[in-house]
Amino acid sequence: MVKPYEQRFPWHLDWNLLRTFMVVVEQRGISRAAYLLGLKQPTISAALKRLEERTGHELIIRKPNEFKVTRAGNLLYQECAQIFGAVSQIPSLLETGAEELRGHIAITTTSHVISDHYDAVLHDFATEHPKVTFSMTVAESEEVVNRVQQNRASLGICLLHKTPENLRAQVLYREYFGLFCGKRHPLFERENISLSEIEGETSVSFQTETEDGPLHPVSLLRARAKLAPSWRGVSSNLHELRRMIVAGVGIGALPLHVAHRDVEAGRLRQLPPYDGLPMVNIYLLTNPQRKQSSAETAFLAACDAMMAESDLEERTYY
């Protein structure tokens, strides 16, 4: 039986408090949340206190030099994210009655999505439906998964260690990784380089090159080459990792097709090994529970058609 308090709760709650609380959690602090929302810190603190009084639970532990979301706070945050995702869909859902396809497609993607097949779908769809708008947010793979799970993105493109529950994951394309050094690196001008010559060299790494990370196969390549066990530079962003390699900070792994242009331009050089290179899947991630707008449905249908018409081998980049 529903308690009277539970019946009254949604009618008495100021829904703006939920939005404020969500931002505080995501910004990991009241001051950063205040800056993002354009409000004063006492206003944010007062809003958080009112929400805790309304829910009857401590949501965030606030002490000097400590910020911790409680178990109740984490549960509430997940619900707030779902509500925010549902509300953000409303403008696109209301466009369904227009004669010409309209709406907005929010894509959250990792930093290294480079695919001619995907670009072709994006181009053809944008050309055919000029009233549809797009937003592209770059994030780490874990955050991509979170945003799709929380219904805050139309779709996600990322690497996966395992398929998340309640989400649909399709292989958008595949790519192979190799080791590279920049023009400033001592090995760059060497005529012939053997695998043994890069043993012990300093390296730079993706943050997800861990045992339980989606780029674990790349970490095995580093181990095979016997690079120095501790990295000298790390980044979750491919462009910044490439920058460190080009600058000579260390040897690093990049997708072969991404590095190809830099190799031809003389900025990068591929290093051994040249065979048995790790292959990594890049996934298109969607939430079956999301109530898709007409624009989202049409765009995902175009992606599905592309993947059905092109063999996965064709979408494997070397």
Side-chain angles (χ1 to χ4, degrees):
M1 179 180 293
V2 180
K3 300 177 182 178
Y5 164 76
E6 295 173 343
Q7 291 179 323
R8 295 193 302 268
F9 181 78
W11 298 99
H12 293 170
L13 178 68
D14 180 354
W15 291 64
N16 286 322
L17 299 179
L18 299 180
R19 183 191 64 171
T20 301
F21 171 70
M22 184 185 75
V23 175
V24 170
V25 173
E26 292 182 344
Q27 294 299 309
R28 302 294 301 172
I30 290 176
S31 60
R32 288 193 292 270
Y35 176 79
L36 184 67
L37 294 171
L39 300 172
K40 297 184 180 300
Q41 291 188 37
T43 303
I44 301 294
S45 297
L48 184 57
K49 183 179 179 181
R50 292 207 312 275
L51 182 60
E52 289 179 326
E53 291 173 348
R54 180 60 64 185
T55 61
H57 293 277
E58 183 181 29
L59 303 174
I60 295 177
I61 297 174
R62 304 179 294 283
K63 296 180 180 178
N65 301 319
E66 181 180 3
F67 179 91
K68 182 179 179 181
V69 183
T70 65
R71 183 174 182 274
N74 277 312
L75 291 172
L76 181 60
Y77 169 74
Q78 295 299 325
E79 294 302 318
C80 290
Q82 292 281 353
I83 293 169
F84 184 86
V87 171
S88 67
Q89 285 185 264
I90 291 176
S92 291
L93 292 173
L94 295 179
E95 295 283 4
T96 56
E99 292 184 9
E100 191 174 7
L101 186 65
R102 297 171 180 266
H104 183 76
I105 299 173
I107 301 172
T108 303
T109 176
T110 53
S111 66
H112 58 283
V113 174
I114 299 179
S115 164
D116 290 340
H117 291 82
Y118 173 63
D119 289 349
V121 172
L122 191 60
H123 169 268
D124 293 345
F125 188 87
T127 301
E128 185 177 354
H129 306 292
K131 299 297 183 182
V132 175
T133 58
F134 299 85
S135 62
M136 309 283 185
T137 301
V138 178
E140 296 182 32
S141 290
E142 183 178 356
E143 178 62 20
V144 173
V145 172
N146 288 339
R147 283 178 172 265
V148 176
Q149 284 180 327
Q150 294 169 358
N151 206 22
R152 297 173 64 182
S154 307
L155 59 108
I157 301 175
C158 64
L159 302 92
L160 293 175
H161 179 61
K162 61 180 180 179
T163 304
E165 293 184 12
N166 305 320
L167 296 183
R168 182 190 184 205
Q170 301 166 274
V171 179
L172 182 62
Y173 68 93
R174 286 174 169 171
E175 59 189 12
Y176 281 85
F177 279 75
L179 295 175
F180 295 87
C181 71
K183 190 174 183 178
R184 297 176 176 87
H185 196 281
L187 289 174
F188 189 88
E189 299 294 344
R190 192 80 58 85
E191 185 173 346
N192 295 301
I193 303 173
S194 64
L195 184 59
S196 62
E197 288 181 274
I198 67 174
E199 182 177 343
E201 288 286 339
T202 58
S203 65
V204 295
S205 167
F206 285 103
Q207 286 182 343
T208 49
E209 289 182 37
T210 59
E211 186 173 348
D212 58 348
L215 282 180
H216 178 54
V218 177
S219 69
L220 298 179
L221 174 65
R222 289 159 46 84
R224 178 184 169 192
K226 297 182 180 180
L227 297 174
S230 58
W231 42 259
R232 191 177 180 191
V234 64
S235 178
S236 62
N237 187 293
L238 179 141
H239 304 293
E240 295 308 316
L241 191 76
R242 170 198 168 275
R243 187 194 306 277
M244 287 190 285
I245 298 172
V246 171
V249 175
I251 293 171
L254 293 171
L256 299 182
H257 73 293
V258 174
H260 177 72
R261 183 176 297 180
D262 282 322
V263 171
E264 287 198 330
R267 289 185 288 265
L268 291 176
R269 175 176 177 176
Q270 187 176 356
L271 300 172
Y274 304 110
D275 61 343
L277 297 178
M279 184 269 294
V280 175
N281 290 330
I282 306 299
Y283 291 90
L284 174 67
L285 208 59
T286 53
N287 188 341
Q289 298 180 349
R290 181 179 177 87
K291 188 175 181 180
Q292 296 175 355
S293 68
S294 297
E296 291 172 330
T297 300
F299 183 72
L300 289 172
C303 291
D304 287 342
M306 178 274 289
M307 288 184 280
E309 293 167 2
S310 58
D311 186 84
L312 183 55
E313 179 59 31
E314 184 183 339
R315 289 180 277 117
T316 299
Y317 302 135
Y318 298 90

